[in-house]
Amino acid sequence: DEYQDTPAYNLIEQANESINEPYFLILDEMNLSHVERYFADFLSAIESGEKIPLYGEEELTLPENLFIIGTVNVDETTSEE
C-alpha cells in the first residue's frame, strides 16, 4: 500500500535535496521499448513544471539540476524488418 522506490527515483530525490549539484539520469537504449508509455509523464512535467503523481498522495518533482539523457541504437540489431 505504498510506493516502492527505484534507483531512478532515489536519484531524483537526491537531486531535489542537493539543488546546487548536477545530477544525470541516463536511460540506455530508449528505442527498445515504447517511450511514449513510460516517458510521457516526464515530458509533461518538464514542459509544465508540474509534479509527477505517484502512488496515492505521493508526487515527484523534477528539479532543474537533473539532466535526463537517453541513448538510441540505430543499427541492424534494432531493426523491425
Side-chain angles (χ1 to χ4, degrees), residues 3-72:
Y3 183 77
Q4 300 295 312
D5 61 0
T6 64
Y9 175 84
N10 292 334
L11 177 80
I12 295 168
E13 285 296 307
Q14 287 177 0
N16 275 312
E17 293 172 7
S18 303
I19 60 172
N20 293 325
E21 295 180 36
Y23 283 81
F24 298 90
L25 175 60
I26 301 172
L27 304 173
D28 192 23
E29 298 186 2
M30 291 180 68
N31 59 308
L32 297 181
S33 65
H34 298 282
V35 177
E36 65 276 5
R37 292 186 186 164
Y38 68 87
F39 207 61
D41 290 336
F42 275 92
L43 290 175
S44 180
I46 290 168
E47 292 174 356
S48 68
E50 295 182 6
K51 297 178 180 181
I52 299 174
L54 300 176
Y55 183 83
E57 304 278 325
E58 297 271 340
E59 293 181 317
L60 184 63
T61 301
L62 296 179
E64 290 187 22
N65 62 324
L66 175 67
F67 299 91
I68 302 171
I69 302 164
T71 68
V72 176

